[in-house]
Amino acid sequence: MNIILMGPPGAGKGTQAKLLEQTRGLKQLSTGDMLRAEIAAQSPLGQKVKAIMDSGALVSDEIMIEMISARIDQPDCAKGFILDGFPRTVIQAQALDVMLHQKGKDLNAVIQLSVDENALLARIEKRVAEGGTIRADDNAETLKKRLEAYRAQTAPILPYYEGKGMLQTVDGMAGIDAVTAKISGILDGEEAAA
Ligand code: ADP
């Protein structure tokens, strides 16, 4: 089963993806984590994308499409994967369709975590205060940029998947367990239909 988790920064995609990894044996593919690993390793790619990421802007479609295409071919994705942070533009969404088709794979569900934007800032501030994951882009100013990028470049993907009848929306403001239960229900339904 291959799924996409969508939602603005701080919506809880990563939290839910990790839970799905444990319960369903799917592989979480977080493009944000993959890029941060490149930066930590000081690879040529990491050096190229660091300033862009720190500013809250998006890395080029070309780089991201190539990165995901190569990642999906790895054996740990054979049972299925959860895309977290990709696709982030309509071009990426279209490229994903083409690449999955070429690889003989399918997309089973696109799940959107809908959230109140005002609550997102509070979540990120809490994340920083708790010292859990302090990221170069976890601050109020950059979050605003990331939200703008989401609205302008990523939200237009929603009608794209809606038009294909694939989009399912879950209330991301509910508690973690309630969100997990809703997602599980959707995936059980998809499995039964398959
Ligand atoms: P968020 O918490 O905003 O969901 P991520 O960890 O998914 O953040 O991504 C952090 C940054 O990595 C983004 O702001 C962007 O610069 C870059 N990035 C991640 N995925 C993509 C993508 N699919 N296309 C373009 N840029 C991306």
Side-chain angles (χ1 to χ4, degrees):
M1 166 161 289
N2 304 317
I3 67 172
I4 299 177
L5 279 184
M6 290 210 42
K13 301 182 295 284
T15 302
Q16 294 300 330
K18 292 220 163 61
L19 289 167
L20 289 170
E21 267 198 325
Q22 291 161 13
T23 56
R24 304 222 168 214
L26 304 174
K27 185 71 196 164
Q28 175 194 16
L29 301 183
S30 159
T31 44
D33 287 350
M34 288 157 72
L35 291 169
R36 282 185 285 277
E38 295 286 341
I39 292 174
Q42 298 186 321
S43 70
L45 176 62
Q47 287 170 5
K48 197 167 164 183
V49 300
K50 185 178 186 325
I52 301 170
M53 281 182 74
D54 287 353
S55 79
L58 295 187
V59 173
S60 81
D61 287 332
E62 201 186 0
I63 290 177
M64 299 314 303
I65 290 163
E66 198 184 307
M67 179 181 260
I68 275 295
S69 178
R71 189 63 189 83
I72 284 173
D73 292 336
Q74 299 298 307
D76 59 356
C77 292
K79 273 199 196 157
F81 49 79
I82 309 151
L83 293 174
D84 160 12
F86 184 97
R88 238 181 176 91
T89 65
V90 173
I91 291 189
Q92 292 179 17
Q94 290 166 338
L96 179 66
D97 279 344
V98 174
M99 106 183 38
L100 290 179
H101 182 75
Q102 284 169 351
K103 294 178 197 293
K105 293 178 189 282
D106 274 328
L107 207 52
N108 301 91
V110 179
I111 300 173
Q112 175 201 17
L113 300 180
S114 68
V115 286
D116 165 20
E117 280 196 12
N118 290 323
L120 294 176
L121 190 56
R123 277 193 183 176
I124 301 268
E125 275 167 354
K126 191 166 164 245
R127 186 151 97 186
V128 173
E130 284 170 353
T133 18
I134 299 177
R135 285 166 30 182
D137 61 352
D138 267 350
N139 60 69
E141 198 195 325
T142 311
L143 178 67
K144 255 175 92 182
K145 279 241 181 79
R146 282 151 65 201
L147 280 172
E148 273 164 27
Y150 182 81
R151 251 183 257 124
Q153 291 164 277
T154 306
I157 300 177
L158 299 172
Y160 177 79
Y161 287 119
E162 203 163 22
K164 290 171 173 277
M166 295 194 72
L167 185 67
Q168 315 237 31
T169 300
V170 169
D171 176 12
M173 298 313 291
I176 291 177
D177 293 347
V179 175
T180 306
K182 279 267 158 58
I183 293 176
S184 244
I186 290 171
L187 299 185
D188 288 343
E190 290 299 327
E191 246 163 23

